[in-house]
């Protein structure tokens, strides 16, 4: 597996995108080139243990995190800015 290096701004953006309900893992892959498993592994490292547990519980089997399962087609991530 290739080592992924992200700067601080990219790490923060990745965390925001991962927490967003309507941002799919496919959208994250388009933005950062990371698979769903790579996102999970990075989230484990980037946020606290309890934060990771809450995040995993939130995204576990969530339909909106997978592009093929949603009825809307996200074009790109739209952050709060």
């Amino acid at each position: 597996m290739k080592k992924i290096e992200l700067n601080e701004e990219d790490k923060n953006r990745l965390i925001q995108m991962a927490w967003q309900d309507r941002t799919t893992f496919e959208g994250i892959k388009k933005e950062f080139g990371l698979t769903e498993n790579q996102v999970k592994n990075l989230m484990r490292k980037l946020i606290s243990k309890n934060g990771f547990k809450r995040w995993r519980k939130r995204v576990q089997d969530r339909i909106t995190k997978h592009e093929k399962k949603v009825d809307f087609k996200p074009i790109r991530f739209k952050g709060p800015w």
Side-chain angles (χ1 to χ4, degrees), residues 19 25 36 40 43-44 47 51-61:
W19 273 100
F25 285 115
E36 181 178 346
K40 290 174 185 175
M43 288 294 284
R44 184 177 283 117
I47 60 178
F52 178 75
K53 286 180 182 180
R54 282 192 311 271
W55 176 74
R56 282 296 293 141
K57 185 176 181 179
R58 183 180 178 89
V59 299
Q60 189 87 33
D61 299 324

Side-chain angles (χ1 to χ4, degrees), residues 8-21:
E8 201 62 33
E9 185 178 320
D10 288 340
K11 289 176 185 177
N12 290 334
R13 185 162 166 83
L14 174 66
I15 292 168
Q16 287 176 341
M17 290 176 76
W19 273 100
Q20 288 286 326
D21 289 338

Side-chain angles (χ1 to χ4, degrees), residues 47-71:
I47 60 178
S48 69
K49 185 176 181 177
N50 286 334
F52 178 75
K53 286 180 182 180
R54 282 192 311 271
W55 176 74
R56 282 296 293 141
K57 185 176 181 179
R58 183 180 178 89
V59 299
Q60 189 87 33
D61 299 324
R62 187 171 288 267
I63 291 173
T64 58
K65 291 304 279 184
H66 299 278
E67 204 168 274
K68 291 180 182 177
K69 296 180 181 180
V70 296
D71 53 358

